[in-house]
Amino acid sequence: MVPQWIIEKKRNGRALTDEEIGFFIQGYTNGAIPDYQMAALAMAITLQGMTPDEIASLTRSMLHSGIILDTSSLRKPKIDKHSTGGIGDKISLALAPLVACCGIAVPMIAGRSLGLTGGTIDKLESISGYRTQLDEAAFLHVLNTCGCSIIRAMDNIVPADKKLYALRDVTGTVSSIPLIVSSILSKKLAARLDGLVLDVKWGRGAFMTTRTDAKALAQALVKTGQHLNLRIEPLVTDMNQPLGRAVGNALEVAESVDVLQGNGPADVVALTLELGARMLMMGGVAADRKQALERLRAKLQAGEAFERLKTMVQLHGGDPHTLDDPSQLPAAAIREPLPARHAGFVQTVDAGAIGRAALLLGAGRTRVTDAIDPAAGITALKKIGEAVSIGEPLVILHTNRRDCLKEARALTADAFRITAESVSPPPLMTLEI
Amino acid sequence: MVPQWIIEKKRNGRALTDEEIGFFIQGYTNGAIPDYQMAALAMAITLQGMTPDEIASLTRSMLHSGIILDTSSLRKPKIDKHSTGGIGDKISLALAPLVACCGIAVPMIAGRSLGLTGGTIDKLESISGYRTQLDEAAFLHVLNTCGCSIIRAMDNIVPADKKLYALRDVTGTVSSIPLIVSSILSKKLAARLDGLVLDVKWGRGAFMTTRTDAKALAQALVKTGQHLNLRIEPLVTDMNQPLGRAVGNALEVAESVDVLQGNGPADVVALTLELGARMLMMGGVAADRKQALERLRAKLQAGEAFERLKTMVQLHGGDPHTLDDPSQLPAAAIREPLPARHAGFVQTVDAGAIGRAALLLGAGRTRVTDAIDPAAGITALKKIGEAVSIGEPLVILHTNRRDCLKEARALTADAFRITAESVSPPPLMTLEI
């Protein structure tokens, strides 16, 4: 097979065979096919699309570029949750221990932040001592002991995705449904899941800016899951305003602790329960949504889920007392409230602008090699529909970078639109897709 | 400027600015932008197209990646001819000296063969001693002395095209009109022409398989020429059957000598005269087509054009006596006629299949590093409309590779369709586009 003939075939809008896709991904992984040919094919895929069969085949080829974990020793249903990413999305931190308390095993392989969206791995690393890289045996040990473990991907899991993701980032081929689907699902299949609950986000702070695009991505994910025998339950959720009131790594850990202690922002709690209920139903440990929600609420109220998170942190080498006293988490030297200039009701909070402000404050990275400041970010964020009086803080900015403060302040102020009439909050979730 | 933002803009179908195109081409030429980003942009251009302004801007950026020749010492109108390439297209060899005899300067920078289409440079190199690489001073000396010189591009002429052409060849981005136009015209502009006559070919043996595509390419070339103040006269010509009766390097030199001696196949003579007439009119040395054709025919008949070719060859270090006695050109050990299996009239001769057969016999290369055999190829080719009797040769195969003969024979036999009814030859040229 000749790589350029395969590129030309896709350029002409024709479907590639299993053999052609396998040849290309294998060649790219082992270095026989250079970056420039992969870049040309990725752009052709971005513009010409792929059939469901092709997406399944691409996902399978990516999966088989590396090892598949042997999770057969786990005696519980293995259900994971994946979010396509957004601003203030810390759901995994409370969700994984919560559903683990209900008899689900959650072998979660998570990512770092890049661009505007946060990464669960960076959030966990703000807890002193937490090791995000475990080998297969240690990962299985944590899972067998406490039912959940959140790690970053080992080097030999889907190496094709590691190479291809970095290439897509610099070749304008990130926003392609076939490439997104194969990237997400190949990593999930490497953990041999029984089911996956997906949180597909749309809006100003998400990859997909419209609900229509998010639905199309959700449908492609479900369809590919069917091809590959992976049950997938998608939820399409709003990411026009940030999720919760905190954005930034240690700040989001603290908000997750609030949730596990029975408090926390209403949207974070509601989404955690909704995603959790689906995981319980998929795993067969709850008969219906009502029963599932009851079990989850009971585990939250009894403090069991919070204890489970502390156990998981301890098994990863982290200090669980940090969670009992979040003031021990990294804290920023500068904490500055941003006062409202008008009284009224919050009409919009541009999640994209809040994400850019948090990045400027030090909470994110624009290149994979950038360092992040775990203490930086935003808290006390006013939500759409809430009333504000003049001078009342819209947010509190946390940073150690005085030089970026002015720009972050302006960005944050511009993110808010305040109106005289009362505003109803938008629906967070689209339950049917 | 960030390369991936420019790629994304083109991916989304938007027009790039002069600055963006200049930044990209300059960065690619000096190595700041890697092959994989250029490959992604080339694919986005291939699938999303470019506006006339963008194509002009791309051509200008390519041109300025290298030096521009100072041809101001030439006191004659500088007119060149360019063909998009086909099987048996040896027109330049007779045309350049012929129009030079009529007072036109022809500073022709030509290419090597790649894939099925032949290259003028390889044809000239079958003449013992001919140097195809001259520096600027030597090139101008030949032009001032005999009015025409055919060389390959110096390293510092349009270096962006050298890099980009090699990349396009392996990334499925060869057949893009904006990329073809900028590649052709940047090199022509580097010779500061006063005008360019274009032979845009379509059919089984050409890049563009339909006449519609060839017309679109011709129109894009003319339009871009207008943007860049280069007068262009296009001719769209048929390349479904090979041009002339000979395919292969030394074999085509011999056929060109036939033409210059007043013989040669009718189609080669007709196309040489038609293209030459346009060059004379563009250069202002003939008032109209009738006068131009008369002058060209007179120079052919007087043998002046043949003498001019010998002078050019001598000035390039080649042996002109080879042209007086073409039996001194490289000759193949095996010369085998391919007999017709049926009597009748030639209905089609698939130029693509003939090109592949000639390549197998040793006349072409599939990679730029392949060596070619100057003696290999095909002669005595029957043309559409001609009558053949059983056993009469359809072609004569010339090769030094006995092992490829069987496959070449089968390919050639399949290229011919013979029918019982008489057939009219198709029109060679489309005069208006």
Side-chain angles (χ1 to χ4, degrees), chain B residues 5-21:
Chain B
W5 295 355
I6 298 173
I7 301 170
E8 285 166 17
K9 193 173 172 185
K10 180 45 65 189
R11 178 200 71 198
N12 294 341
R14 291 169 57 207
L16 304 181
T17 65
D18 285 356
E19 291 69 31
E20 287 164 339
I21 292 170

Side-chain angles (χ1 to χ4, degrees), chain B residues 34-273:
Chain B
D35 278 337
Y36 53 81
Q37 289 186 317
M38 188 71 237
L41 182 65
M43 183 57 79
I45 291 171
T46 301
L47 289 169
Q48 298 285 24
M50 275 186 146
T51 66
D53 280 343
E54 282 179 287
I55 300 177
S57 176
L58 178 60
T59 307
R60 218 181 283 113
S61 295
M62 304 262 287
L63 169 65
H64 291 295
S65 72
I67 63 151
I68 297 174
L69 295 176
D70 182 6
T71 51
S72 57
S73 65
L74 298 176
R75 296 279 162 229
K76 295 172 181 167
K78 297 178 290 288
I79 314 285
D80 195 2
K81 187 270 311 186
H82 181 83
S83 158
T84 59
I87 313 300
D89 182 0
K90 72 283 293 171
I91 297 292
S92 297
L93 298 179
L95 178 65
L98 175 59
V99 300
C101 292
C102 303
I104 300 291
V106 189
M108 191 179 280
I109 299 173
R112 291 200 179 277
S113 78
L114 189 61
L116 298 187
T117 59
T120 303
I121 290 302
D122 292 312
K123 291 168 197 173
L124 285 167
E125 286 182 351
S126 65
I127 301 169
S128 165
Y130 191 101
R131 287 198 310 274
T132 54
Q133 191 144 38
L134 299 184
D135 64 18
E136 184 170 357
F139 183 48
L140 290 172
H141 171 70
V142 177
L143 282 165
N144 269 313
T145 312
C146 81
C148 58
S149 177
I150 307 178
I151 58 167
R152 58 191 159 107
M154 302 146 201
D155 289 343
N156 51 2
I157 289 194
V158 198
D161 183 64
K162 290 190 183 67
K163 262 186 105 167
L164 182 52
Y165 196 89
L167 184 70
R168 285 167 59 206
D169 197 43
V170 292
T171 54
T173 53
V174 167
S175 62
S176 155
I177 284 182
L179 298 177
I180 295 172
V181 168
S182 56
S183 172
I184 293 174
L185 294 188
S186 59
K187 284 175 288 188
K188 296 298 166 187
L189 287 161
R192 287 194 215 257
L193 298 178
D194 298 308
L196 176 64
V197 173
L198 272 172
D199 182 1
V200 183
K201 300 205 173 287
W202 70 276
R204 292 189 180 91
F207 239 27
M208 299 284 152
T209 50
T210 68
R211 183 152 30 190
T212 308
D213 286 347
K215 283 185 180 180
L217 174 56
Q219 280 158 353
L221 283 157
V222 171
K223 210 166 207 169
T224 308
Q226 284 166 351
H227 267 77
L228 298 168
N229 286 318
L230 175 62
R231 282 174 59 206
I232 293 180
E233 279 269 357
L235 207 59
V236 171
T237 67
D238 183 288
M239 186 31 74
N240 284 295
Q241 68 174 333
L243 195 58
R245 298 187 188 275
V247 177
N249 297 284
L251 302 170
E252 294 189 42
V253 170
E255 190 168 85
S256 301
V257 168
D258 276 354
V259 170
L260 289 171
Q261 289 178 334
N263 305 307
D267 57 349
V268 177
V269 174
L271 187 54
T272 303
L273 292 172

